[in-house]
Amino acid sequence: MITRRRFGQLSGLAAGSLFLPRVIHAAATPDIMLQIAPFTLEASPKHHIRTVAYNGQVPGPLLRMREGEEINVEVNNLSTDPEVVHWHGLFLPSAIDGAMEEGTPMIAPGESARYSFRPEPSGFRWFHTHTFAGKNLTKAQYSGLHGFLWIEPKENPGRYDREVFLALHDWGGHETGSDDGFMNPVYDFSTINGKMLGFGEPVLVKSGERVLIHVLNSSPTEVHWLALAGHSFRVVALDGNQVAQPQNVSMLRLAPAERVSALVEMNHPGTWILGEVRKHVQAAGMGMVVEYADSSGKPTWIQPESLVWNYRQFAQAATSPIAEDVSRIELAFDSKFQGHGNEELWRINGKSYPDTDEPALQEGRRYRLVMKNLSMDDHPMHLHRHTFEVRQVDGSEELSGLMKDVILVPARTTAEVEFVANHPGHTLFHCHQQDHMDRGFMMVFRYA
Amino acid sequence: MRRSARILLMAACLLCIATFARGQGNYEIQVYGADTVAPKNLMVELHSNYTVSGQTKYLGGVYPTNHQEHETLELTQGISDWAEVGFYVFTSEQSGHGVQWVGDHIRPRVRAPDRWHLPVGLSLSTEIGYQRAVYSPDTWTWEIRPIIDKTMGRWYLAFNPALERTLHGPDVNQGLGFSPAVKVSYDFTRQISGGFEYYADYGRLGSFDTLREQQQQIFAVTDLNVSPKWEINFGVGIGPTAATDHLIVKGILGRRFDWGKRSAVD
């Protein structure tokens, strides 16, 4: 099988920054500098992780940009592997979006690249590596190469007192055979903002504050549920896009690469745990302390009894039927068995990348992706360089108003989304589980 | 004929042989994998072995093995994510002797936890038990069995270099005997694997028996991975040495029961 890395080598895409296209013109002084370099993360005094990080921190720096205002970024790759930075959720040209499958050049070890772009759309985006890990569960998304990206809207209503950015991540992955015969990564420990529960700085709040929490699931493969004991969340945005119907929920669910922005009314003074709902994941470290001013004592956790989440509550029922001018693209997901000692080879319409189809899109046309997940796994599907509207999930009525760039398609279900092809250029579509994309779960849309 | 169809046909033939068999054989014929039963799980296995062609004469008061059918109930309870304990009830059925209890064994086992990240599966089993003298002159025996296994793509390899010692019986002064077992199998499909299992008893460690006196068996086997709850294994084995039963048909049917009441948030 030709792996992504091998394919990149064959295609000459990993040739380094010498071949940067004209769109990536150098700026005299970069506004932002990102340095990719080896880094040892101390998740707790007993857990030191040798990884690779941006600017010597995990997660990487919070980058704030203004919607539509040109910004210059320089990326220095001081690691030993070719790297590329994907600007997840932005409408960027293929040459700088950050996926070699779209044509973004890799940055060779020791080399630098400069990018100049006008970020849009506004909202909570992120940046991360977009490379191949294969059997090495310390590389690519398994590493510390991820960071927050906040695109300030031109007008910010600002109905909150403060913001908190949180990244959920899993570490120490190793493959194990699951009960159903698949090989799946499992993890030794988990963190929020690079720290295990009890070892990070608490989030300090005041009674009466409205805190806007931006949560990113940067885990390479795991879905996570998050609750704040004694409080509820008012979800206002998913994947950085305001939802049609903000809702109060007791917990958040985030598939890999998903983001949730939620307001929390700080109306229950005390010292609380914000943590993974599932006991074994919180015990592995995924949690942090939220502490009110003038409060002290042992943090309290209130264990929910079930996992609750659905996309539908944030959408509206569509008022009109499916438009006739929408082009349907049927996509069936399944896997090809390669032995109990191997991961599956993942397929879209019976083909694995780089042999997958390359549907041609017509600029300005609206497309409906009908994603039939025939497999036994859930898949977080991500469309690069575009935002899509969730139209149906698991047999629901027609929905509207829920805009995302990642959607979790549960096993044996169908999800349907629509997008307008308004950003010409190669556009990658893939499962955001690192082990799945490494095993061929990708395809590229081309513009006619 | 497609390969998968051929395997299905072979499995069906083995099933027919087992169904028509009304005799007996050895007790537990299995190469151990390194994995252990999960905590709060009970594995119930029935080992059915029929000796198609074996020893036809009484030797030292021990029943002949020819046309013996052995039914062995094995119960294995998971203790932790690295320990289990197994318990065996051996029975035998044979024309002229009826159904008889043969003996019982207990088998604690530990394995290297996943967090050690070893490149191979590694575990250590020890088994002690009693069997009636009419079935084995050595009535109390002890075994220690290192287990090493490895899955590589479609291939599975397991090696059990077991050491056995008689605690009560004629061989009590014989020291440690060496009884290795090896399994090599290949995943033809997600559900069907096929391969070979090799069992031997070379005799006393440091002073092996002559080849004629050694026990050596090789089985053609298939494993059906139809569900994580079920274990199904069939095999036909030949014993080429004089001291070995010459033809045995074996089958293992296992069912996993999960006693843990885990919720989605556990």
Side-chain angles (χ1 to χ4, degrees):
Chain A
M1 188 188 82
I2 297 179
T3 64
R4 295 176 64 210
R5 170 164 293 174
R6 180 67 183 138
F7 179 73
Q9 289 167 341
L10 291 174
S11 306
L13 295 174
S17 53
L18 293 174
F19 302 102
L20 290 179
R22 195 174 288 273
V23 68
I24 312 165
H25 64 271
T29 306
D31 302 302
I32 293 171
M33 292 199 57
L34 283 180
Q35 188 174 80
I36 300 169
F39 175 69
T40 299
L41 171 69
E42 183 181 292
S44 84
K46 291 184 178 178
H47 295 86
H48 293 84
I49 306 154
R50 296 175 68 181
T51 185
V52 181
Y54 295 115
N55 293 5
Q57 62 183 86
V58 174
L62 164 60
L63 302 184
R64 290 182 179 272
M65 303 177 184
R66 286 203 166 273
E67 182 183 19
E69 290 189 12
E70 183 168 290
I71 193 153
N72 302 300
V73 181
E74 179 171 312
V75 181
N76 301 316
N77 180 11
L78 302 183
S79 76
T80 56
D81 296 309
E83 273 296 341
V84 68
V85 179
H86 171 46
W87 306 94
H88 187 124
L90 295 189
F91 304 153
L92 296 181
S94 305
I96 60 172
D97 181 55
M100 61 182 178
E101 296 81 3
E102 295 175 335
T104 308
M106 300 287 279
I107 308 169
E111 298 291 330
S112 300
R114 287 196 181 186
Y115 308 106
S116 176
F117 56 85
R118 297 179 187 276
E120 59 173 355
S122 63
F124 182 22
R125 315 295 163 194
W126 65 303
F127 58 99
H128 60 89
T129 183
H130 209 287
T131 53
F132 177 83
K135 295 280 186 187
N136 187 338
L137 305 194
T138 66
K139 289 183 175 292
Q141 199 56 42
Y142 299 102
S143 75
L145 289 173
H146 53 269
F148 309 111
L149 176 58
W150 178 252
I151 310 299
E152 296 277 1
K154 289 169 182 165
E155 293 182 20
N156 191 342
R159 292 192 297 272
Y160 50 85
D161 298 302
R162 53 184 300 213
E163 291 174 295
V164 175
F165 287 82
L166 306 175
L168 317 178
H169 206 72
D170 300 289
W171 305 90
H174 48 98
E175 284 188 339
T176 187
S178 63
D179 281 348
D180 54 9
F182 290 85
M183 293 293 288
N184 284 330
V186 294
Y187 299 89
D188 289 339
F189 50 98
S190 304
T191 58
I192 297 180
N193 284 358
K195 295 291 184 184
M196 296 172 71
L197 177 59
F199 298 100
E201 289 296 317
V203 176
L204 301 175
V205 298
K206 294 176 183 172
S207 187
E209 273 188 338
R210 287 163 60 91
V211 177
L212 181 58
I213 296 181
H214 299 291
V215 189
L216 157 69
N217 183 358
S218 61
S219 172
T221 62
E222 297 300 293
V223 177
H224 286 298
W225 281 262
L226 202 67
L228 174 56
H231 299 76
S232 62
F233 301 97
R234 184 163 183 81
V235 174
V236 295
L238 295 180
D239 294 350
N241 308 301
Q242 291 188 12
V243 296
Q245 305 218 75
Q247 296 288 340
N248 291 323
V249 297
S250 60
M251 67 183 69
L252 311 175
R253 186 201 71 184
L254 296 101
E258 282 192 313
R259 290 88 68 208
V260 175
S261 299
L263 279 167
V264 179
E265 300 271 359
M266 293 300 169
N267 53 10
H268 201 168
T271 305
W272 303 98
I273 289 177
L274 170 68
E276 234 283 2
V277 175
R278 293 169 301 165
K279 297 173 187 172
H280 72 282
V281 185
Q282 191 179 118
M286 187 168 280
M288 67 189 311
V289 175
V290 175
E291 187 176 297
Y292 280 71
D294 302 323
S295 292
S296 60
K298 191 178 175 184
T300 301
W301 173 247
I302 301 171
Q303 179 62 53
E305 294 303 316
S306 58
L307 302 175
V308 183
W309 184 262
N310 71 70
Y311 288 130
R312 299 181 203 177
Q313 62 187 319
F314 307 110
Q316 295 172 327
T319 53
S320 57
I322 302 172
E324 291 182 357
D325 60 347
V326 174
S327 298
R328 289 172 66 90
I329 299 177
E330 306 271 352
L331 303 170
F333 308 149
D334 68 1
S335 63
K336 182 181 179 185
F337 179 71
Q338 298 199 111
H340 289 103
N342 260 340
E343 291 184 322
E344 315 292 289
L345 189 63
W346 288 98
R347 304 187 298 192
I348 301 175
N349 291 345
K351 299 174 184 174
S352 292
Y353 188 85
D355 299 320
T356 39
D357 296 331
E358 292 191 357
L361 307 176
Q362 289 187 328
E363 187 174 358
R365 191 168 182 84
R366 190 172 179 86
Y367 291 89
R368 188 178 183 100
L369 303 182
V370 180
M371 296 175 277
K372 294 180 181 174
N373 182 0
L374 307 177
S375 77
M376 299 297 288
D377 281 10
D378 302 347
H379 298 294
M381 301 306 302
H382 171 46
L383 181 66
H384 281 226
R385 307 177 54 250
H386 297 74
T387 300
F388 54 70
E389 184 175 24
V390 178
R391 302 292 283 175
Q392 278 192 13
V393 286
D394 195 14
S396 73
E397 71 280 21
E398 192 76 359
L399 306 172
S400 71
L402 180 56
M403 308 300 293
K404 291 178 65 48
D405 55 54
V406 178
I407 183 170
L408 186 68
V409 187
R412 302 284 184 185
T413 69
T414 298
E416 301 187 21
V417 302
E418 289 181 6
F419 71 99
V420 178
N422 51 8
H423 302 291
H426 284 26
T427 299
L428 188 63
F429 173 70
H430 65 93
C431 175
H432 217 284
Q433 266 194 234
Q434 181 74 51
D435 56 330
H436 291 182
M437 59 191 293
D438 287 348
R439 291 289 175 185
F441 204 156
M442 298 191 287
M443 65 186 294
V444 175
F445 292 104
R446 302 192 316 160
Y447 276 70
Chain B
M1 187 184 296
R2 293 177 57 193
R3 186 169 56 185
S4 57
R6 286 202 301 271
I7 296 303
L8 276 172
L9 183 61
M10 186 174 81
C13 292
L14 289 172
L15 183 60
C16 291
I17 291 169
T19 303
F20 288 117
R22 291 293 182 267
Q24 290 92 59
N26 289 339
Y27 296 96
E28 187 209 10
I29 305 173
Q30 185 174 21
V31 181
Y32 292 1
D35 210 3
T36 52
V37 174
K40 297 182 179 177
N41 276 243
L42 176 69
M43 189 73 183
V44 180
E45 292 171 279
L46 183 66
H47 300 260
S48 303
N49 306 318
Y50 175 62
T51 305
V52 180
S53 174
Q55 175 58 252
T56 56
K57 298 172 183 171
Y58 285 81
L59 292 177
V62 176
Y63 293 159
T65 59
N66 195 48
H67 291 188
Q68 273 190 354
E69 180 182 332
H70 289 171
E71 296 293 336
T72 298
L73 177 66
E74 178 184 359
L75 304 173
T76 307
Q77 175 66 44
I79 306 299
S80 70
D81 61 359
W82 52 270
E84 67 177 26
V85 61
F87 183 75
Y88 297 88
V89 180
F90 303 114
T91 69
S92 177
E93 195 278 337
Q94 189 172 28
S95 177
H97 300 294
V99 178
Q100 296 206 30
W101 169 70
V102 174
D104 294 321
H105 283 195
I106 189 165
R107 178 187 53 75
R109 183 148 76 103
V110 295
R111 73 176 175 100
D114 291 334
R115 60 181 174 275
W116 290 8
H117 298 183
L118 298 181
V120 296
L122 192 64
S123 73
L124 186 66
S125 161
T126 184
E127 182 172 331
I128 190 167
Y130 168 82
Q131 45 277 328
R132 293 169 58 202
V134 290
Y135 290 96
S136 169
D138 297 320
T139 52
W140 283 92
T141 53
W142 169 77
E143 174 194 277
I144 188 162
R145 180 188 295 246
I147 300 157
I148 305 163
D149 72 359
K150 176 75 174 175
T151 305
M152 297 176 297
R154 291 177 181 267
W155 291 96
Y156 174 74
L157 310 173
F159 178 45
N160 297 178
L163 299 172
E164 298 176 345
R165 194 187 193 295
T166 297
L167 301 177
H168 187 271
D171 291 341
V172 69
N173 295 318
Q174 290 295 309
L176 286 172
F178 183 51
S179 303
V182 176
K183 177 168 184 165
V184 179
S185 69
Y186 183 82
D187 295 329
F188 293 104
T189 70
R190 190 191 306 277
Q191 288 81 24
I192 300 172
S193 306
F196 295 93
E197 294 174 359
Y198 169 77
Y199 302 89
D201 183 349
Y202 292 155
R204 189 153 59 98
L205 204 60
S207 178
F208 287 160
D209 296 336
T210 62
L211 183 63
R212 179 181 174 79
E213 293 170 330
Q214 291 177 5
Q215 291 186 28
Q216 300 210 27
Q217 294 173 320
I218 187 160
F219 283 77
V221 297
T222 183
D223 293 282
L224 305 181
N225 309 297
V226 295
S227 160
K229 290 182 178 177
W230 289 93
E231 176 189 9
I232 303 172
N233 169 275
F234 292 108
V236 177
I238 58 170
T241 69
T244 314
D245 290 333
H246 294 313
L247 183 61
I248 294 177
V249 177
K250 70 154 187 162
I252 304 170
L253 182 63
R255 174 69 160 82
R256 188 187 309 272
F257 296 93
D258 188 349
W259 301 121
K261 292 184 178 178
R262 284 190 294 272
S263 71
V265 298
D266 284 324

